[in-house]
Structures are given as structure tokens and as C-alpha cells.
Amino acid sequence: MGRGARPTRLHPRYMKNAYLFIYYLIQFCGHSWIFTNMTVRFFSFGKDSMIDTFYTIGLVMRLCQSISLLELLHIYVGIESNHLFPRFLQLTERIIILFVVITSQDEIQEKYVVCVLFIFWNLLDMVRYTHSMLAVTGTSYSVLTWLSQTLWMPIYPLCVLAEAFAIYQSLPYFESFGTYSTKLPLDLAIYLPYVLKLYLLMLFIGMYFTYSHLYSERRDVLRVFSIKKKM
């Protein structure tokens, strides 16, 4: 009897690309659903829809942002080419604002700044994940490449300003309710309003570092892309 055919093994590169494609697709679908939901609700209910933005889409937003922490693992193990520290700064900004500032305070969840933040985050992520998803398949469009490397330039600073404003609006509530403020042994204590005020300074320092990194990355990507088009 002849030997059976040996099963074909998938090349690790194809497995990596398949995994990244599924990850980017999940993120794209999540953020697209959020953006579409917000748009439809705004045209249906006007400004009233902005007040309950968090109540209608907050769960999906928290899920998408939680999953995005996998990107740090992707970079660390080498399946995604990016710099770890700048991506860590961007993800940390969102996690702190979403889970510490917004989720913990019901009063902040009804503020217009939450809706504005969600719009900015989703605009950036829909373009970024679309570009990344297509890039994994070897597909590239000049307009999409340019957009993914340019859209952040006006929106990212606005995101940071909106995040800072959300922190500023939350301070009175953290001071009144004492949320996350804890007494420690030896007459020490963690007073979150002070921590958030310090984080405001770090937020703008981090913005400068991240903006510089993204600008350098944009210059390199567009230069390489223009060379490929000429070949």
C-alpha cells in the first residue's frame, strides 16, 4: 500500500497574515458599527442623541479598546511592525480616559465631550484598520494610504484636547465622591484628582512625542509609497 499524501502545512507568514486580517476586520466592524450608530442617532434625534452616547455604544467601545491592547503583544512578538512605546502611549491615553474618567463617573457619561471623543477615535480607527487590513492582503490604494498617514494630523491634537477637557470636567466629581482615592499605611494616601492633574501634564508631553513619531513615520511611508509607484 502506498503512503498517503502528507498534509500541507501552512506557512507561518500566511497564518500570521490571516490572524492579523481577522483582528483588523473585527476592529473595523466594531468601529464602523459605532460610527454608523452615532450618525444615524444624530440625524434621528439631533443633539439629544449626544447625551446618551455612552449608554448606547459604550459597551462596544470598551470592548474594542480592550481588544486593542493585543496590539502591544503583536508588536512585542514581532507579528506587527510598529514601535512599542508610541503605541503604548496612544493606548494608555484611551484606556485611562475611557475606563477611569468616563466609565467611573455617570455624570461625565452625559457630557458632549464623550460624543466628540468617540467620533474622533472612530474616524482615526476606521481609516487605520481599513488600511492595515488591506495591507495584509498586499492591496494598497494611494488615496487610502495618504489618508491613513494624514488624517491624524488635525484629529489627534483635537483628541488630546478633548481628553484633557474630559479630565477637567471630571475633577469636581472625583473630589466630591472620592472615587479611586485610597488611604495607605503610614498616613499616606492616593488622591486621584491630584493624579489626574499630573496626568494632564503628561498627556501633552506624550502628545508631542507621539506626534513627532507619527510625523516621521508618515514621511517614511509616503516616501516609500511614492518610490513604489514610480517603479
Side-chain angles (χ1 to χ4, degrees), residues 127-157:
V127 173
R128 183 168 69 90
Y129 287 122
T130 301
H131 177 264
S132 299
M133 184 170 54
L134 293 176
V136 167
T137 65
T139 305
S140 62
Y141 297 98
S142 56
V143 174
L144 185 58
T145 300
W146 180 87
L147 189 63
S148 68
Q149 296 297 326
T150 306
L151 184 63
W152 62 266
M153 296 181 72
I155 292 183
Y156 178 62

Side-chain angles (χ1 to χ4, degrees), residues 26 34 37 52 89 99 107 167-168 174 177 183 188 222:
I26 291 173
I34 293 173
N37 189 297
D52 62 351
L89 289 179
F99 287 93
E107 293 78 7
I167 293 175
Y168 173 77
F174 281 110
F177 303 136
K183 289 186 177 180
L188 299 176
L222 293 184

